Amino acid sequence: MAPSAVTPPTVPAVLATKTAGPVPVPNNDAKPLSHPLLSLFTPGAWDNFTFAPIRESTVSRAMTRRYFNDLDSYAESDITIVGAGSAGLSCAYVLGTLRPDLKISILEAGVAPGGGAWLGGQLFSAMVMRKPAHIFLDQIEVPYEDEGDYVVVKHAALFTSTVMSKVLRMPNVKLFNATTVEDLITRQDKETGEVRIAGVVTNWTLVSMHHDDQSCMDPNTINSNVIISMTGHDGPFGAFSVKRLVSMKQLEQLGGMRGLDMASAEDAIVKGTREIVPGLVVGGMELSEVDGANRMGPTFGAMVLSGVKAAEEALKVFDLRKKQNAI
């Protein structure tokens, strides 16, 4: 019989004895628990515990009222970000911080925002970013280990959850997750024939996935002055906006993402982040499909700084696109 892979403990485990006062924490910098929470540790507190009363319909109304109010409010957005991965969230953070006057909607096809940034790569948790992307980590107060030319965040989820929490608490930003973009709203200049992107066509992701085997359900729309698309490389919902540009004859063809080359890929993505056609800024790995850039693998600095540059590019053209859409 094969020996156990885990050596049995030599000392039996003993339950810790409950003590009065603040719950001890290993981090000396952590703030002590507040008094209302400590009240749960008083003798007999759990025996007499009960939640405040509520009706089931109250829960339903609390959710649906706010959701449909948001749908109504953000049907006219100043800027819409497609894709809430590391690039999209970084972009939203910069835009929401610099321009709190703008109404920013974020559309994410998945239930969970964050894209591939919950893990550093494969099933490894640490996240690597080459400098100078550490400047963004300093801005959002995510700690890291400095390794010279690059830094390491102890868990990718620490970065992702931090930037997400900062974005979602912004009063001018709304995330619609489990919502996919099915098409682009276009306007054509009568004099020049130039096509401008003026919004997105949306649907719930589960509906989009079943158009072929269920009755078709017509979509919804969001008008927006600038669209920033960061849907990742080619896949079921990836690179959607740029693939649609090809089918609309606004791009001749996609360059197609090349093989992995970190050194060239990250520079190319950040430098290339731009307005591809009027009203549509493209960045992140979606841009690699346009330009034929290399993939970069498990390093995330380019995603973050592509998001920063996308915010800059969007603000450069925002006033002009707003004026055009008002006509």
Side-chain angles (χ1 to χ4, degrees), residues 33-141:
L33 295 177
S34 62
H35 178 70
L37 187 58
L38 285 178
S39 65
L40 295 175
F41 292 86
T42 59
W46 293 112
D47 296 334
N48 301 314
F49 175 82
T50 183
F51 283 105
I54 198 169
R55 286 182 63 81
E56 289 79 4
S57 60
T58 302
V59 177
S60 179
R61 286 170 170 165
M63 293 186 298
T64 57
R65 183 186 302 119
R66 287 165 175 79
Y67 186 84
F68 287 105
N69 281 343
D70 286 335
L71 279 180
D72 179 76
S73 176
Y74 286 87
E76 284 282 350
S77 293
D78 290 309
I79 295 178
T80 296
I81 299 171
V82 186
S86 49
L89 289 172
S90 299
C91 180
Y93 174 82
V94 175
L95 285 174
T97 302
L98 292 179
R99 292 294 301 271
D101 57 308
L102 298 183
K103 190 184 295 183
I104 302 165
S105 55
I106 311 174
L107 303 175
E108 167 55 44
V111 172
W118 290 110
L119 290 170
Q122 199 162 320
L123 292 178
F124 311 136
S125 56
M127 173 179 273
V128 176
M129 289 191 189
R130 286 198 291 158
K131 292 181 177 179
H134 69 294
I135 297 173
F136 188 84
L137 297 177
D138 292 336
Q139 174 68 33
I140 63 172
E141 298 180 307

Side-chain angles (χ1 to χ4, degrees), residues 1 24 35 48 51 53 57-58 68 77 110 119 124 134 144 152 157 189 201 204-205 207 211-212 230 232 280 287 311:
M1 183 174 179
H35 178 70
N48 301 314
F51 283 105
S57 60
T58 302
F68 287 105
S77 293
L119 290 170
F124 311 136
H134 69 294
Y144 53 79
V152 182
D189 189 288
V201 179
W204 285 318
T205 302
V207 172
H211 281 319
D212 293 336
M230 295 180 154
L280 179 67
L287 185 68

